[in-house]
Amino acid sequence: MADEVTTDFGREAETETTAQRERGRRDADTETDPEGGEVEDGNEFYRIHQTQLARTMEHVDLENHVELILSEPKNEIIVNFPVQMDDGDYRLFTGYRIQHNNIMGPYKGGIRYHHDVTLGEIKALASVMTYKCALLEIPFGGAKGGIRMVTDDHSGDELESITRRFTHDLGTNIGPEYDIPAPDMGTNGQTMVWMMDTYMNMHNQLSKNARRRIVTGKTIASGGSRGREKATGQGVVYCIQEWADERGVRLDGCEYILQGFGNVGSHTARILSRLGAVLVGVQDHTGSIMNRDGIYPRKLNEHVENNGGIAGYPEAESIDGDEFWGLDCDICIPAALELQVDEDVASSLDCDLVIEAANGPTTLEAEPVLADRDIEVIPDVVANAGGVVVSYFEWVQNKRSESWQLQEVDSRLHFMMKRAFHEMRAFAREHDVDNRTAAFAVALDRLNDVYTERGVFP
Ligand code: NAD
């Protein structure tokens, strides 16, 4: 590597750069919090992600200019917009869209509605998307967006107005061949349909229907793909099956704990129960529950739909958070927020595998603890990639005016998840590195090849 070009990855592994400290300060100082909650700058997750990448660089023969380009997002879009609430008052919301990289194809990534959304968090999530798409060989780049708000405090009408105004203010920063949003925490098929409808109506009426693929993760009635809603959970299960095959573990009777019972968590649980796996503990934002005889995901799902969370589920015992993480099981599935498995949680886990259904659930300090305790980690970049894979299928179906059967979606998804999983495992074995380093390395190799062939304009 040429010495004169300095990248942020290397330095961030050791310490924050002055520019990043400044940026961190600016983020923390200037972000408004219209919902009145406490604002964290989210740079911890960004720092962790950069450090993990820096570690990977030691195992990849990366051109220095590629490292430099990937060290920062290409575009950071921040919009502040007012929306009238049901009571007639106006509130100001801050929305983000971070476009990390598009060398492989249009920017692609979810939209998160959550009270902890920050610029730093969205930057890290956008960057993860670049590597996820490269690892899975999907012709998309990486992006992420979000609005910091307490979704439970808003009526359906207010959520619709917020979504439509956000989409309007993003304007031409998104597009069906340029940047394609999808659901993430706090958003769903309905949110995507509002985004699609707003975008379609903002632009030329003659080609209106060609713009349905401006978002993916839509409801099936409005142009979504069969299998998209469960896709992330389905992909998590395909990875678990590959891990189990490799280790000679039988999933029938296998016990697991699950944090998060939203889209990803609930679908993972429902699919796992069909394979005979037993859910012994669940945690969400309303509490933690356990039942050593097993919790039925379908029944729990009904309870969550009616009550907004798992608390009060009658067929399980309420426990505290520490007890939840310490439950004896085979597999732990974090499927909620980032930074949940810290050093303490890693020390108390009693399982063989942590599979990161959520993005970024494991802290840097937890990683060596898990490794010392021989607990394997399947990282987010492969584990939860099922969502973006089927989003890609949805985009292709919209483009070709096709509608694939579920079996076709699932079998294509299976093939791609399995391929990525084994490419990661092969690199890990060959280079004697952990799965996360291996997954990033395979992705970085691909990005490096494309940049090397295409060069940098002008
Ligand atoms: P969701 O909004 O549907 O569900 C989130 C779940 O997390 C809920 O059960 C909620 O109660 C729980 N939760 C929130 N705060 C919590 C806390 N403090 N403690 C414990 N639980 C808490 O979100 P989702 O779409 O299922 O996304 C979950 C994770 O999966 C996120 O990290 C997201 O980025 C990732 N992911 C989602 C998709 C997708 O297709 N939806 C794709 C890839 C990755």
Side-chain angles (χ1 to χ4, degrees):
M1 286 186 204
D3 284 334
E4 63 273 23
V5 185
T6 315
T7 72
D8 280 348
F9 284 138
R11 277 186 278 153
E12 276 206 318
E14 302 294 326
T15 171
E16 269 189 330
T17 63
T18 307
Q20 278 149 357
R21 268 196 304 276
E22 282 307 313
R23 219 176 296 122
R25 226 174 271 140
R26 193 189 67 207
D27 295 346
D29 287 352
T30 59
E31 281 177 0
T32 55
D33 186 15
E35 302 288 282
E38 205 165 294
V39 179
E40 289 178 18
D41 65 15
N43 283 339
E44 176 60 7
F45 179 33
Y46 190 57
R47 185 186 68 84
I48 289 175
H49 174 62
Q50 295 288 88
T51 306
Q52 288 165 341
L53 286 171
R55 218 165 46 193
T56 307
M57 303 297 169
E58 292 163 24
H59 303 278
V60 185
D61 194 11
L62 200 64
E63 294 291 334
N64 208 33
H65 70 278
V66 180
E67 191 177 335
L68 184 71
I69 291 166
L70 293 170
S71 68
E72 286 289 337
K74 282 204 166 187
N75 304 310
E76 301 180 21
I77 301 138
I78 303 179
V79 290
N80 293 307
F81 55 94
V83 178
Q84 190 169 28
M85 300 289 98
D86 293 344
D87 62 6
D89 276 357
Y90 285 88
R91 289 224 200 141
L92 193 67
F93 292 85
T94 301
Y96 305 97
R97 187 67 182 169
I98 304 298
Q99 296 166 336
H100 178 258
N101 190 273
N102 64 349
I103 191 79
M104 294 295 204
Y107 298 111
K108 186 86 188 85
I111 299 280
R112 178 175 286 198
Y113 289 175
H114 192 269
H115 54 271
D116 284 337
V117 161
T118 58
L119 182 59
E121 176 191 59
I122 299 295
K123 278 172 70 170
L125 290 166
S127 175
V128 171
M129 285 304 294
T130 298
Y131 302 103
K132 202 177 286 182
C133 292
L135 176 64
L136 270 292
E137 294 192 66
I138 304 168
F140 283 145
K144 204 81 180 187
I147 302 175
R148 184 171 54 251
M149 65 166 155
V150 185
T151 45
D152 286 351
D153 287 356
H154 295 288
S155 67
D157 286 349
E158 287 177 354
L159 288 174
E160 178 173 353
S161 302
I162 294 164
T163 302
R164 287 186 183 276
R165 180 64 199 251
F166 179 41
T167 309
H168 176 270
D169 284 11
L170 286 175
T172 51
N173 286 304
I174 55 172
E177 300 288 340
Y178 179 65
D179 182 355
I180 306 138
D184 191 73
M185 276 189 85
T187 57
N188 55 28
Q190 176 63 76
T191 323
M192 293 305 111
V193 174
W194 289 328
M195 287 193 86
M196 176 191 76
D197 186 72
T198 308
Y199 187 86
M200 277 174 149
N201 281 296
M202 279 166 53
H203 299 274
N204 179 359
Q205 294 298 304
L206 288 176
S207 54
K208 192 171 174 177
N209 281 310
R211 287 192 296 271
R212 276 202 311 180
R213 61 183 195 282
I214 173 63
V215 285
T216 58
K218 303 180 285 288
T219 61
I220 292 179
S222 291
S225 173
R226 290 188 180 85
R228 173 60 184 89
E229 206 189 319
K230 66 160 182 139
T232 308
Q234 182 69 71
V236 171
V237 176
Y238 286 146
C239 285
I240 293 174
Q241 285 178 305
E242 294 310 308
W243 168 83
D245 278 356
E246 203 177 85
R247 286 222 173 181
V249 172
R250 277 176 60 89
L251 287 181
D252 190 6
C254 193
E255 294 181 326
Y256 68 101
I257 59 170
L258 173 65
Q259 187 198 39
F261 205 78
N263 172 287
V264 179
S266 67
H267 283 291
T268 302
R270 278 183 274 176
I271 301 165
L272 276 178
S273 72
R274 275 181 239 138
L275 301 175
V278 183
L279 177 59
V280 293
V282 188
Q283 181 181 79
D284 78 353
H285 70 289
T286 63
S288 307
I289 56 172
M290 69 161 273
N291 184 342
R292 294 269 22 147
D293 294 331
I295 295 165
Y296 292 103
R298 274 196 183 280
K299 281 194 188 172
L300 182 60
N301 198 50
E302 267 172 41
H303 176 86
V304 170
E305 276 176 6
N306 294 328
N307 299 281
I310 62 167
Y313 180 62
E315 294 183 27
E317 183 189 328
S318 172
I319 53 173
D320 68 26
D322 290 344
E323 202 177 341
F324 165 78
W325 289 115
L327 284 172
D328 174 16
C329 62
D330 302 294
I331 303 172
C332 165
I333 312 178
L337 300 166
E338 50 264 21
L339 312 179
Q340 297 298 297
V341 180
D342 59 16
E343 218 173 338
D344 291 342
V345 168
S347 313
S348 67
L349 284 174
D350 193 358
C351 62
D352 299 321
L353 171 70
V354 172
I355 176 154
E356 297 183 339
N359 281 307
T362 311
T363 67
L364 283 180
E365 294 72 26
E367 287 187 335
V369 179
L370 295 171
D372 282 351
R373 300 188 61 222
D374 204 21
I375 298 175
E376 192 164 356
V377 176
I378 300 178
D380 50 8
V381 68
V382 62
N384 67 31
V388 70
V389 171
V390 179
S391 272
Y392 166 56
F393 297 162
E394 178 177 332
W395 185 80
V396 170
Q397 288 172 73
N398 288 168
K399 196 165 174 159
R400 297 182 186 163
S401 293
E402 288 178 359
S403 173
W404 300 354
Q405 294 309 307
L406 180 60
Q407 209 182 6
E408 180 171 2
V409 170
D410 280 350
S411 88
R412 284 174 185 253
L413 172 64
H414 191 195
F415 171 81
M416 289 171 74
M417 293 299 300
K418 207 170 157 176
R419 180 179 63 189
F421 183 92
H422 288 290
E423 280 171 345
M424 170 189 77
R425 294 292 302 131
F427 191 101
R429 272 193 300 271
E430 191 183 331
H431 297 264
D432 194 22
V433 293
D434 59 80
N435 287 333
R436 190 185 317 281
T437 304
F440 279 136
V442 173
L444 272 166
D445 256 343
R446 291 198 175 125
L447 289 157
N448 190 56
D449 285 351
V450 178
Y451 269 112
T452 308
E453 284 172 14
R454 285 176 56 169
V456 178
F457 177 81

